Amino acid sequence: MVDMVELEEGVCATGQLSAAQMSEVADKGFRSVIGNRPDGEEPGQPEWSVLEDAARSAGLETRFIPVASAEDLAAQSGAFAQALEALPRPILAFCRSGARTARLYEAAKSG
C-alpha cells in the first residue's frame, strides 16, 4: 500500500488507492475510507463508484468529499469535519498524493 501520514490518532492520509487495495486497507484495521479526489482528475484514475463498491465489499464505511480547488477546500471542510465525527475509526482518507487531504483536515480542524 502507499505511504500513510497520521493526522491524528485514528485518522490517516494517503495517496490514490485502487479498488484492489481496499481489502488491504481493511486488513490493516481501517474501518472507514474518505475519498477526497474528484472523479476524472487524470486519465486512468479509478472512479469513486468503483472504489466505493470495493471498499464496501471489504466491510469499510465510505464518504466521498471531493476537493479540486481552494474554494472546494473551504466549502468541504465542514463535511470533512462531520465525517471525522461520524465514521468509525480508524479512518483512511485519500487524494492523489495525500497532501490535499492533509490540507482539508487542517481546514476542518481550524473551523
Side-chain angles (χ1 to χ4, degrees), residues 34 63 65 76-87 91 108:
I34 301 174
R63 291 284 192 291
I65 306 171
Q76 295 287 40
S77 64
F80 193 77
Q82 189 279 329
L84 293 177
E85 292 297 319
L87 290 171
I91 300 167

Side-chain angles (χ1 to χ4, degrees), residues 1-2 14-22 25 33 46 51 92-95:
M1 185 166 33
V2 291
T14 193
Q16 180 68 56
L17 296 171
S18 68
Q21 289 174 306
M22 292 302 175
V25 169
V33 172
L51 298 174
L92 183 59
F94 73 91
C95 58

Side-chain angles (χ1 to χ4, degrees), residues 35-103:
N36 297 132
R37 190 169 189 201
D39 283 339
E41 195 169 58
E42 73 182 20
Q45 170 190 336
E47 295 289 316
W48 172 251
S49 61
V50 172
L51 298 174
E52 184 175 44
D53 287 348
R56 288 185 177 168
S57 292
L60 299 163
E61 291 201 32
T62 63
R63 291 284 192 291
F64 186 45
I65 306 171
V67 174
S69 66
E71 293 80 20
D72 287 348
L73 189 78
Q76 295 287 40
S77 64
F80 193 77
Q82 189 279 329
L84 293 177
E85 292 297 319
L87 290 171
R89 290 181 182 220
I91 300 167
L92 183 59
F94 73 91
C95 58
R96 187 186 61 77
S97 70
R100 191 176 347 177
T101 293
R103 288 193 307 271

